[in-house]
C-alpha cells in the first residue's frame, strides 16, 4: 500500500479543524480504484470484495488477512484528504455478535444475517456472545491490522448497524411493524436491550484499538478523527411515522450521541427525510450523512436537507460516485454559500484522476 505515515500530519490537522467547524475549505476525499465498479460506486469496488472475503475466511490467519488488505489497497490511489481505512464489515454485524447466522455473498460484496428470534421476548433477553467466533475474529483482525500497518492505517469500529435495524433483522420487519402497535412496551425493551449490547460491543473494540498504533479513528464512512466516532443509523425508520420514530428511537439516539464522542447520522433515502427535524434536535450529534438512495433524484434535488443541516449547525457529508457527479460539489457549496462544514467522499476509476484533481485544486485541497 503506497501511503506514507508523513501524509497524515496535515490530514489529521485538517480533519480536526473540520470536526470543530474551523476548516475554511471542504474535506474532499478521492479514492480511485484501478478496477472499480461501474461509475466508481463506493460499494461496488472490487478491492472491497477481496477484503471482505479475507475477513470472513476463518481459516486464514489474521496476520495473513492483514496482508490481503495491504495488497488490495495497492490497487487504490488516495488524493486530497483520502485515506485507507480498516473496520470489520458489513452493516449489521452486531446481529452476528448477538447470535444471528450469516452467509457471505462475494458477488454482491456483502454478508446477509438471518432472522433469529421467533418471539420478541428473545430480543429482550439477548446478550452479546463474547465466545462468538465472529466477534473473536473481528477483534483479532482489528489488533492484527494495527500491528501490521504500524501507524499507516486508521482503524475504526465495526459497522454494527442501527439499533432498530438490528431488532428488525433479528425479528423480521413485518411482525415488528405489527408489534409497534400491539406490543409497544416490549418493542421498547427490545430496542433498549440491543442498545445496551451495542455499548458492550463498542467498549470491547475501544479496548482493542490502540490510538498510539494508529493515525486516528475511522469507520465505514472514511473520515479521520482523533476521538472515536461512529455513523449512527435507523433505516427501519423509512417504514414508520415521525411520532413512532420520536417515541421508539429518538431517546436512544440521544443516548448514543452522549456515549460516543463524535457522531454522524446516516440519513438514507426519501423515506427517512421526514425524521430529519427530530434528528437535528439532538445537541450532541455532530453531523448528518445524506444518501438519496438508488433511483431517487440526484444530490442537487434536495436543497431543504442541506439548508436544514446548515441551520442546525451540523456538519454535512455526502458521497460522490464517479467524476460525473463532481458538479454536485459546486451545487451544494453555491446553495449554502460556504465551503465550511462539508465533506465529500469521492470514489471513481483511476482513469478519472484528472477530473478529480481539478476539483481538489479548485477547493484548495491540493
Amino acid at each position: 500500500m503506497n501511503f506514507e505515515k508523513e501524509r497524515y500530519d496535515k490530514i489529521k490537522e485538517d480533519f480536526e479543524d473540520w470536526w470543530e467547524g474551523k476548516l475554511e475549505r471542504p474535506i474532499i476525499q478521492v479514492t480511485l480504484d484501478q478496477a472499480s465498479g461501474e461509475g466508481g460506486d463506493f460499494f461496488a469496488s472490487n478491492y472491497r470484495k477481496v477484503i471482505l472475503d479475507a475477513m470472513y475466511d476463518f481459516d486464514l490467519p489474521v496476520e495473513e488477512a492483514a496482508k490481503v488488505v495491504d495488497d488490495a489497497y495497492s490497487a487504490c490511489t488516495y488524493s486530497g484528504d483520502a485515506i485507507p481505512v480498516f473496520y470489520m464489515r458489513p452493516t449489521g454485524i452486531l446481529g452476528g455478535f448477538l447470535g444471528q447466522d450469516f452467509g457471505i455473498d462475494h458477488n454482491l460484496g456483502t454478508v446477509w444475517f438471518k432472522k433469529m428470534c421467533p418471539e420478541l421476548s428473545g430480543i429482550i433477553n439477548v446478550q452479546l456472545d463474547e465466545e462468538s467466533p465472529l466477534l473473536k475474529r473481528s477483534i483479532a483482525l482489528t489488533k492484527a491490522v494495527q500491528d501490521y500497518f504500524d501507524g499507516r492505517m486508521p482503524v475504526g469500529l465495526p459497522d454494527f448497524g442501527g439499533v432498530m435495524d438490528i431488532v428488525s433483522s433479528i425479528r423480521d420487519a413485518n411482525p415488528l411493524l405489527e408489534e409497534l402497535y400491539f406490543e409497544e412496551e416490549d418493542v421498547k425493551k427490545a430496542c433498549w436491550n440491543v442498545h445496551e449490547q451495542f455499548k458492550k460491543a463498542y467498549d470491547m473494540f475501544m479496548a482493542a484499538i490502540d490510538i498510539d498504533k494508529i493515525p486516528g479513528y475511522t469507520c465505514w464512512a472514511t473520515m479521520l478523527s482523533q476521538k472515536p466516532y461512529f455513523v449512527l443509523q435507523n433505516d427501519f425508520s423509512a417504514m414508520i411515522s415521525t411520532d413512532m420514530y420520536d417515541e421508539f428511537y429518538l431517546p436512544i439516539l440521544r443516548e448514543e450521541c452522549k456515549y460516543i464522542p463524535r457522531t454522524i447520522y446516516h440519513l438514507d433515502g426519501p423515506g427517512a427525510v421526514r425524521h430529519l427535524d427530530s434528528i437535528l434536535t439532538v445537541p450532541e450529534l455532530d453531523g448528518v450523512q445524506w444518501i438519496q438512495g438508488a433511483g431517487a433524484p440526484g444530490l442537487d434535488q434536495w436543497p431543504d436537507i442541506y439548508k436544514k443541516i446548515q441551520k442546525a449547525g451540523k456538519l454535512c457529508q455526502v458521497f460522490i460516485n464517479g467524476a460525473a457527479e463532481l458538479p454536485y460539489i459546486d451545487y451544494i457549496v453555491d446553495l449554502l454559500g460556504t465551503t465550511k462544514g462539508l465533506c465529500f467522499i469521492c470514489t471513481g476509476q483511476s482513469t478519472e484522476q484528472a477530473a478529480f484533481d481539478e476539483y481538489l485544486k479548485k477547493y484548495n485541497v491540493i
Side-chain angles (χ1 to χ4, degrees):
M1 184 183 71
N2 185 23
F3 201 100
E4 303 80 14
K5 285 183 182 180
E6 293 73 23
R7 288 184 62 181
Y8 285 110
D9 292 342
K10 184 175 188 305
I11 293 174
K12 287 195 289 187
E13 182 180 341
D14 287 343
F15 258 108
E16 286 306 292
D17 284 345
W18 179 78
W19 283 107
E20 298 297 330
K22 300 175 182 177
L23 189 65
E24 294 295 334
R25 63 167 180 85
I27 288 289
I28 302 181
Q29 295 185 302
V30 177
T31 302
L32 303 180
D33 183 8
Q34 295 174 8
S36 66
E38 183 177 353
D41 184 80
F42 181 78
F43 302 102
S45 298
N46 290 329
Y47 72 86
R48 292 169 56 86
K49 298 176 184 178
V50 171
I51 293 172
L52 186 73
D53 286 346
M55 287 177 174
Y56 282 81
D57 181 355
F58 284 31
D59 293 328
L60 184 69
V62 291
E63 294 79 12
E64 293 183 28
K67 177 66 165 58
V68 172
V69 173
D70 194 358
D71 292 342
Y73 275 140
S74 68
C76 299
T77 301
Y78 301 94
S79 300
D81 302 302
I83 53 176
V85 302
F86 181 83
Y87 61 94
M88 190 67 186
R89 302 164 185 171
T91 305
I93 196 172
L94 178 61
F97 299 160
L98 296 175
Q100 280 186 284
D101 289 334
F102 58 89
I104 186 168
D105 187 325
H106 170 78
N107 290 331
L108 293 177
T110 192
V111 174
W112 300 105
F113 295 95
K114 302 174 183 178
K115 176 181 175 180
M116 185 175 78
C117 291
E119 302 294 338
L120 197 58
S121 59
I123 310 177
I124 294 173
N125 297 301
V126 72
Q127 296 290 308
L128 191 71
D129 180 6
E130 296 189 15
E131 296 304 311
S132 159
L134 178 60
L135 177 56
K136 286 185 173 181
R137 182 165 178 83
S138 300
I139 290 176
L141 279 168
T142 299
K143 292 179 177 179
V145 166
Q146 291 177 118
D147 292 337
Y148 178 93
F149 285 96
D150 188 29
R152 293 185 299 130
M153 177 73 75
V155 173
L157 295 164
D159 194 355
F160 291 132
V163 165
M164 290 199 77
D165 297 336
I166 297 298
V167 173
S168 174
S169 177
I170 293 175
R171 180 71 184 98
D172 190 67
N174 288 331
L176 181 61
L177 287 168
E178 292 184 10
E179 288 158 350
L180 287 169
Y181 285 98
F182 301 115
E183 299 184 50
E184 180 178 323
E185 291 306 312
D186 280 349
V187 172
K188 290 179 181 177
K189 289 178 183 178
C191 291
W192 280 103
N193 181 47
V194 171
H195 167 69
E196 290 301 317
Q197 306 316 309
F198 170 94
K199 291 196 297 182
K200 290 179 184 177
Y202 174 94
D203 290 344
M204 289 182 69
F205 280 91
M206 281 297 101
I209 297 173
D210 186 348
I211 189 61
D212 292 330
K213 292 183 177 181
I214 58 175
Y217 298 96
T218 189
C219 75
W220 73 264
T222 57
M223 290 91 78
L224 185 67
S225 173
Q226 299 310 298
K227 299 177 183 179
Y229 81 95
F230 193 69
V231 177
L232 301 164
Q233 69 180 68
N234 186 343
D235 291 353
F236 180 78
S237 69
M239 295 185 281
I240 61 176
S241 68
T242 54
D243 287 344
M244 281 188 169
Y245 184 94
D246 292 354
E247 179 179 358
F248 288 94
Y249 179 64
L250 187 60
I252 293 175
L253 177 61
R254 292 193 182 107
E255 290 303 311
E256 290 173 324
C257 291
K258 291 176 183 177
Y259 199 76
I260 304 169
R262 286 172 171 167
T263 50
I264 301 287
Y265 189 92
H266 168 75
L267 189 70
D268 191 347
V273 173
R274 59 179 171 271
H275 306 302
L276 180 58
D277 290 343
S278 294
I279 293 162
L280 293 174
T281 65
V282 180
E284 292 85 3
L285 180 70
D286 291 284
V288 175
Q289 173 194 89
W290 167 235
I291 296 180
Q292 79 272 31
L299 290 172
D300 57 350
Q301 300 300 307
W302 308 92
D304 290 346
I305 289 177
Y306 308 117
K307 289 179 180 178
K308 284 184 176 182
I309 294 170
Q310 182 189 49
K311 185 176 180 180
K314 309 296 187 184
L315 303 166
C316 179
Q317 184 260 307
V318 299
F319 291 99
I320 301 296
N321 294 316
E325 293 192 355
L326 281 168
Y328 288 145
I329 296 178
D330 298 327
Y331 169 80
I332 295 172
V333 168
D334 292 343
L335 174 74
L336 299 179
T338 184
T339 56
K340 294 181 68 174
L342 300 174
C343 175
F344 301 97
I345 298 179
C346 309
T347 52
Q349 300 178 16
S350 57
T351 55
E352 300 174 302
Q353 179 82 60
F356 282 104
D357 283 350
E358 180 181 340
Y359 267 75
L360 292 174
K361 293 174 184 177
K362 180 177 182 178
Y363 287 99
N364 299 313
V365 182
I366 58 174

